[in-house]
Amino acid sequence: MTRRIAVIGTSNIGALKYASPAIAMAHPELAVTFWGLPGGKFAECAVNEAGIFQPSQGDDDLCKLARRINGAEGIDLSTFDATLVIADTMGLPSVLFVAGNYDVVDWPIRRDKPLLSLPGFRAAMEEAIALRADDLARQFRGVTPLFLARAPYPTTVVTRRGPLRLEPFASVANHPEAARIEALYNQALEQALAARGMTYVPQPQDTIAAPFLTRPEFGAGAMDFRAAGRVLDDHRHMNAAFGASLFRAFALALGPDMTGAAPIPQIKE
């Protein structure tokens, strides 16, 4: 039986949209529909009482933009078997800013930064995540099952000096505790989403070069989802190869009963 899947979100849906042929070939049992808006505009949309995700009906310009990009002003999520939301960075820049400017006193490696306790670091991380998770819960109230993927890490290119350099990702590229911080962040994000009825789909390991950084080949030739044929190559938006990998991770998370993946094990400190 064919199951209907909605993939909606920010400009990061472009990676999956351009991977549509590969997705259709690999997952013939899933019929995928895409709907998206640029990040700030996407955050202004929400599900109405009828289950339709759309801009505020008082914003004519945003409604017009939605129709131009998607061919439809909104998308009726009540008609789909599952919804994958590709959202923003989910508080990650704030987490990395704290990680880059403080040393966690409970960890063995120090960099002569001001000290912060592990409970304090966790609290800052959880607050940054909760702010966006609450927004998503409001935007998608009543939609189930709901899966969420964070915006992809930028590629390793952004750690170099020059116009593409991107903070705070560049500043933590060589952080001695980067792997530990990444594991803590993923666990906190998964738990925050689960508490709000959402299943987290982490970025696939095959796309990751190092904690918080994507392999550069997944950023090369990335296309703009707003206009066919426009190449971005900004090393923040990913290409069709990335999109196919992320959709594969989502399909695995779906499972045969559409309920989502099991929680990851608790991290021991």
Side-chain angles (χ1 to χ4, degrees):
M1 183 180 75
T2 300
R3 295 184 289 182
R4 300 190 67 209
I5 305 298
V7 175
I8 69 174
T10 64
S11 54
N12 291 296
I13 71 165
L16 282 80
K17 192 172 183 179
Y18 286 106
S20 293
I23 289 171
M25 184 174 294
H27 308 280
E29 77 286 2
L30 302 177
V32 185
T33 299
F34 297 92
W35 194 97
L37 283 170
K41 301 299 184 183
F42 181 78
E44 297 176 23
C45 302
V47 172
N48 66 13
E49 297 79 4
I52 299 172
F53 186 82
Q54 62 183 14
S56 167
Q57 292 306 283
D59 192 334
D60 293 339
D61 289 340
L62 186 51
C63 290
K64 182 178 179 180
L65 179 64
R67 289 193 296 271
R68 181 178 67 78
I69 293 175
N70 304 290
E73 191 170 297
I75 181 169
D76 186 353
L77 296 180
S78 68
T79 65
F80 291 88
D81 296 298
T83 299
L84 170 63
V85 178
I86 302 176
D88 57 23
T89 53
M90 297 303 298
L92 182 56
S94 296
V95 171
L96 296 185
F97 179 83
V98 174
N101 287 280
Y102 292 88
D103 284 336
V104 175
V105 68
D106 309 72
W107 297 344
I109 300 176
R110 304 277 177 83
R111 302 162 300 151
D112 297 323
K113 302 283 187 180
L115 296 178
L116 182 67
S117 70
L118 179 58
F121 181 67
R122 283 184 182 272
M125 177 182 293
E126 289 165 4
E127 181 177 1
I129 291 170
L131 289 172
R132 187 62 185 118
D134 285 341
D135 285 340
L136 286 168
R138 173 191 56 80
Q139 285 182 274
F140 293 96
R141 186 178 291 115
V143 177
T144 184
L146 187 63
F147 296 77
L148 180 125
R150 176 189 35 74
Y153 298 150
T155 74
T156 55
V157 173
V158 304
T159 64
R160 305 170 187 168
R161 294 192 179 279
L164 291 174
R165 186 175 176 85
L166 183 65
E167 298 292 353
F169 292 90
S171 65
V172 299
N174 296 313
H175 196 296
E177 298 286 1
R180 189 199 302 263
I181 296 165
E182 183 182 45
L184 287 170
Y185 172 81
N186 277 324
Q187 182 185 80
L189 179 54
E190 181 188 57
Q191 291 173 346
L193 294 174
R196 294 162 176 82
M198 293 175 261
T199 297
Y200 178 40
V201 181
Q203 181 167 332
Q205 283 297 318
D206 68 294
T207 69
I208 297 175
F212 311 117
L213 293 169
T214 296
R215 289 165 52 189
E217 58 265 35
F218 288 101
M223 306 292 285
D224 191 338
F225 86 116
R226 297 167 297 181
R230 183 187 298 166
V231 178
L232 291 173
D233 266 348
D234 59 4
H235 301 281
R236 292 181 295 108
H237 293 87
M238 301 299 131
N239 59 24
F242 180 94
S245 181
L246 180 58
F247 192 89
R248 185 163 53 248
F250 161 68
L252 289 171
L254 270 177
D257 57 2
M258 307 287 284
T259 57
I264 57 175
Q266 190 78 11
I267 296 172
K268 296 181 180 180
E269 288 294 332

